[in-house]
Amino acid sequence: MTVGSAPGPLAKGRPAPKVLLIDLDDTLYRAHQVADIVRQRIQEYMVQKLGICKDEVATKTTEFYLAYGTTLAGLVANGYHIDYDDWHEFVHQGALDYDTLLQPDPSLRDILCSIDIPKYILTNANRMHAECVLARLGLIDCFQGLFYFENVMELAASHGFDVSHGVLCKPNPRIYQLVAEQLGVGLSDVIFFDDSARNLASAHALGTTTVLVGNDKLSPGVDLAIPTLHDLPTAMPELLDQPGLVHEHHTSHGRTHEHHSASLALFAVPVAVAGAPAESRTSSGGIAVHVPAS
């Protein structure tokens, strides 16, 4: 694990965080098959449904990802008309066998439950994919809310973003500003975890503390680098208010031990302003954030 020579993210003099914002794919979990399947399906969609030459899709996928944050955002920005529900069904739900590709992670559940700070998912993927992943990992009730493609786009539209001709996604700085505003916190009150140094750098430039997950090399815009979120108790012990809940990460016959989770039911409610009493929890923009049932 690499933390560099600089003081850690929660070093003396830095305000205590009010929110943890955590990416989903390749951050909360890592399964190379999932990424490979999604990449293949994106290219198949471009050929089958958009009529792009098969020999061009690999290049275009990379170009759009680098220029716009996601291939989907690049396609839309370049004039392709895409049914978003159809795209996500083809790329995610219609292609991924979540039960086979993912396993419950009780060790990470222990860690997340030991952190008494509001935790939110921020993903460029859609709602159903996020729910399926979190449910399979056994982590869905560890989070106070989820920001995903649909409600981020709704939030963007409510603040004047032209969603008919563009997709708002990481690493666009606007997404972090809108999410922080929706949560009623400043960007300096947030610790953001992501596997993409580029996504982190754009948030860091706004004052957010950033943690790179899955890579042990620090880079500009990254405050801390850790191999996995399982390293949080060692790398950021000050986050854990209940360290006694954290157990060793162990497997049996290649499978992580099962852990009984609470209800996986989800419902949409207005966003809670951090620190506000329950009766005053309202959303300034009227955008619902998916929140796990307790």
Side-chain angles (χ1 to χ4, degrees):
M1 179 178 4
T2 300
V3 296
S5 58
L10 300 186
K12 185 177 180 180
R14 271 200 160 163
K18 295 180 180 178
V19 167
L20 302 187
L21 201 59
I22 304 176
D23 174 48
L24 183 72
D25 299 307
D26 291 325
T27 299
L28 199 65
Y29 75 98
R30 186 151 295 218
H32 296 297
Q33 282 182 290
V34 172
D36 291 343
I37 292 170
V38 169
R39 186 181 304 108
Q40 178 183 345
R41 294 289 283 186
I42 286 174
Q43 295 185 5
E44 290 176 359
Y45 189 100
M46 293 168 68
V47 173
Q48 295 178 23
K49 303 205 174 191
L50 300 181
I52 299 174
C53 177
K54 186 176 181 179
D55 294 336
E56 299 177 4
V57 294
T59 299
K60 283 186 177 292
T61 297
T62 301
E63 288 177 354
F64 289 161
Y65 173 79
L66 293 175
Y68 300 96
T70 67
T71 301
L72 174 60
L75 288 167
V76 173
N78 282 271
Y80 290 93
H81 298 285
I82 297 175
D83 181 316
Y84 294 140
D85 291 338
D86 182 57
W87 167 275
H88 289 297
E89 169 63 28
F90 189 94
V91 169
H92 290 120
Q93 295 83 248
L96 298 173
D97 183 346
Y98 295 95
D99 288 344
T100 299
L101 295 168
L102 302 175
Q103 300 299 327
D105 192 342
S107 179
L108 182 55
R109 178 182 174 82
D110 285 345
I111 292 170
L112 294 173
C113 288
S114 74
I115 299 174
D116 191 23
I117 299 171
K119 297 170 286 293
Y120 294 84
I121 290 291
L122 174 59
T123 177
N124 287 335
N126 68 324
R127 166 182 164 177
M128 187 171 292
H129 174 69
E131 290 179 5
C132 288
V133 168
L134 290 170
R136 182 57 181 153
L137 295 176
L139 304 176
I140 202 162
D141 59 331
C142 294
F143 295 92
Q144 281 64 53
L146 316 177
F147 289 93
Y148 43 79
F149 179 85
E150 293 94 334
N151 62 4
V152 165
M153 289 288 278
E154 185 181 352
L155 183 61
S158 72
H159 285 75
F161 186 89
D162 183 7
V163 296
S164 62
H165 296 94
V167 170
L168 182 64
C169 61
K170 297 177 288 184
N172 188 323
R174 187 65 176 140
I175 193 171
Y176 308 119
Q177 295 169 331
L178 291 179
V179 166
E181 179 182 331
Q182 192 72 5
L183 294 175
V185 299
L187 284 160
S188 61
D189 297 322
V190 176
I191 300 181
F192 178 39
F193 300 79
D194 202 295
D195 65 291
S196 166
R198 181 177 62 159
N199 290 349
L200 294 171
S202 62
H204 189 272
L206 300 174
T208 298
T209 298
T210 55
V211 180
L212 180 65
V213 181
N215 190 324
D216 64 357
K217 295 182 180 180
L218 291 175
S219 60
V222 174
D223 291 304
L224 180 72
I226 58 178
T228 76
L229 289 177
H230 292 96
D231 295 293
L232 277 178
T234 301
M236 305 176 76
E238 55 271 67
L239 286 182
L240 278 67
D241 289 338
Q242 304 175 64
L245 287 179
V246 180
H247 305 146
E248 290 296 322
H249 182 60
H250 57 283
T251 60
S252 175
H253 303 297
R255 292 173 62 88
T256 305
H257 287 306
E258 297 287 340
H259 188 289
H260 294 292
S261 63
S263 169
L264 297 180
L266 289 170
F267 58 95
V269 299
V271 174
V273 175
E279 61 271 16
S280 67
R281 293 176 180 179
T282 59
S283 167
S284 59
I287 307 303
V289 172
H290 230 47
V291 178
S294 56

